Amino acid sequence: MKNTFLEYGYSEEEIENRVNDTFYSIFEGMNRFYFEGLEDTGYFMDTGNCDARTEGISYAMMISVLMDRKDYFDRLWKFAMKFMYMSEGPMKGYFAWSVAPDGKKNAWGPAPDGEEFFAMALFLAGQLWGNEEGDSLFNYEMQARKILRTCLHHEIPMWTKDTALIRFVPGCDFSDPSYHLMHFYRFFAIWADENDRPFWERAEEASRDFLIKCCHPKTGMNPEYANFDGTPKTVGPKNEHGDFYSDAYRTAANIGLDFLWQEEINSHNKNNQQTESQKKFSKIADNIVKFFANIPTEDFMKYEIDGTPTQEKALHPIGLLATLAQATLACSKNCKKEAEIIVRRFWETPLRTGERRYYDNCLYMFAMLALSGKYCPQILVGNTKIDIFRVMSM
């Protein structure tokens, strides 16, 4: 898989050390936010809010499977099932989005990004490490299919049946653009229940079309929440979440990763033709990278999606920088200069410390994996690990 850092002249040894050091810092170092939980479990602590979230647990599981760390993965998954899974109530079958470190639920509702990351991480775990039999917690792929089945067929589903778009929360009439993981849905269409596979094929393209509508045509920015027609959605007495702020940063990173995975699939299929969505995603990436390339990270603000700065500083500036770096994976040759500025600045920027480090550093780790060619799902064939894109092309 493409290794952007290597293309910019960093050595393989430097890159390998940096990825491993980042993982160590997050899971084991002095500024870690992975902690051991009760009964041989583990969790990511949202250090800004002192809770454990499905967002963080599922992110940690994805990082663990990409780094081939089954020990961490299994503790995290046990935490999710023991303390987050809801076995009763109107949201039965989903995962409570927030719990205290001791496992006490802070909420009795889910956040759909947790479920989709859980499912993808579990599928990858099963492909890499194999599955136990029957109803075992570690029959990973069976558990993933169960999650996706619930998401689609629950009385209060997470996806709309008509538009195939993910909701912000089950039953609501708007979405969060950063929840749209079309690159995951491609694999759900292969591994989910057979009857649901056509839906995931629809969802893959529907999400790409939706993000193209959400992102501003000049800045590439998107709102935190959006109506199903792509227009900004504001909620609450202060009319918030219609601007480019914390949640919204992840959309550019997702566009970059989707572009990378599509390129990888095309390469193995000996197809050099970009799809229309790839061309449009490339334009979005160019726009947002060019907007931020010459703004110092410490000067990042909260913005209206047309680029108008508000009076509020970015709460997660390093997280924003990380997502911009990942977005460069989709940039065209017309953005070569600005993309290199962003990637080199990211490389030179250390992990965040302090109470807000959790969110920034999750995004940092994902960008580090993507730009080093390691955000690459693998499958075990005999005793050899090969990337899944090669398998798909066979």
Side-chain angles (χ1 to χ4, degrees), residues 116-274:
E116 56 185 350
F117 259 93
F118 279 142
M120 188 62 179
L122 287 162
F123 278 134
L124 296 183
Q127 292 288 322
L128 181 60
W129 300 319
N131 301 285
E132 292 187 2
E133 296 182 355
D135 294 330
S136 168
L137 190 65
F138 305 118
N139 187 341
Y140 302 115
E141 293 182 79
M142 179 274 290
Q143 296 286 354
R145 284 189 287 272
K146 181 181 176 183
I147 289 171
L148 294 182
R149 190 182 312 131
T150 301
C151 289
L152 296 189
H153 302 293
H154 197 283
E155 290 182 7
I156 312 173
M158 287 187 171
W159 269 261
T160 62
K161 291 183 179 180
D162 54 346
T163 63
L165 296 175
I166 192 170
R167 304 174 190 269
F168 174 62
V169 294
C172 79
D173 62 354
F174 62 93
S175 187
D176 180 327
S178 74
Y179 285 8
H180 290 257
L181 306 176
M182 45 276 153
H183 43 297
F184 287 4
Y185 308 156
R186 176 185 289 262
F187 290 95
F188 293 173
I190 299 170
W191 294 327
D193 289 342
E194 187 171 354
N195 290 341
D196 291 332
R197 291 173 189 174
F199 177 88
W200 292 115
E201 290 179 0
R202 286 177 54 215
E204 180 186 354
E205 291 308 318
S207 283
R208 290 195 183 102
D209 292 342
F210 176 74
L211 292 186
I212 291 165
K213 295 175 184 175
C214 287
C215 294
H216 192 275
K218 293 185 178 180
T219 67
M221 297 184 203
N222 61 274
E224 287 195 295
Y225 301 167
N227 297 304
F228 291 131
D229 63 1
T231 56
K233 171 72 175 181
T234 57
V235 298
K238 295 183 179 180
N239 290 322
E240 296 180 303
H241 301 292
D243 295 326
F244 183 73
Y245 198 49
S246 303
D247 262 24
Y249 304 161
R250 298 177 296 196
T251 301
N254 293 335
I255 283 173
L257 189 61
D258 180 64
F259 191 94
L260 176 67
W261 283 14
Q262 285 196 80
E263 273 201 330
E264 195 70 16
I265 291 167
N266 290 346
S267 173
H268 284 298
N269 290 332
K270 296 180 170 56
N271 176 11
N272 296 322
Q273 296 296 316
Q274 286 190 351

Side-chain angles (χ1 to χ4, degrees), residues 259-318:
F259 191 94
L260 176 67
W261 283 14
Q262 285 196 80
E263 273 201 330
E264 195 70 16
I265 291 167
N266 290 346
S267 173
H268 284 298
N269 290 332
K270 296 180 170 56
N271 176 11
N272 296 322
Q273 296 296 316
Q274 286 190 351
T275 65
E276 284 304 308
S277 63
Q278 280 182 294
K279 294 175 184 176
K280 291 176 180 178
F281 273 8
S282 189
K283 179 62 175 175
I284 291 168
D286 284 359
N287 286 342
I288 197 166
V289 167
K290 285 181 178 180
F291 183 93
F292 284 102
N294 295 311
I295 301 176
T297 307
E298 61 272 19
D299 291 338
F300 287 169
M301 305 293 290
K302 179 180 181 180
Y303 300 89
E304 297 176 20
I305 65 169
D306 66 359
T308 303
T310 70
Q311 297 302 309
E312 190 173 347
K313 298 280 284 186
L315 184 61
H316 299 288
I318 292 175

Side-chain angles (χ1 to χ4, degrees), residues 11-29:
S11 71
E12 290 186 2
E13 182 179 6
E14 282 181 294
I15 297 165
E16 190 72 18
N17 288 341
R18 187 65 176 275
V19 171
N20 290 333
D21 288 349
T22 303
F23 180 86
Y24 175 84
S25 296
I26 289 172
F27 279 82
E28 301 176 16

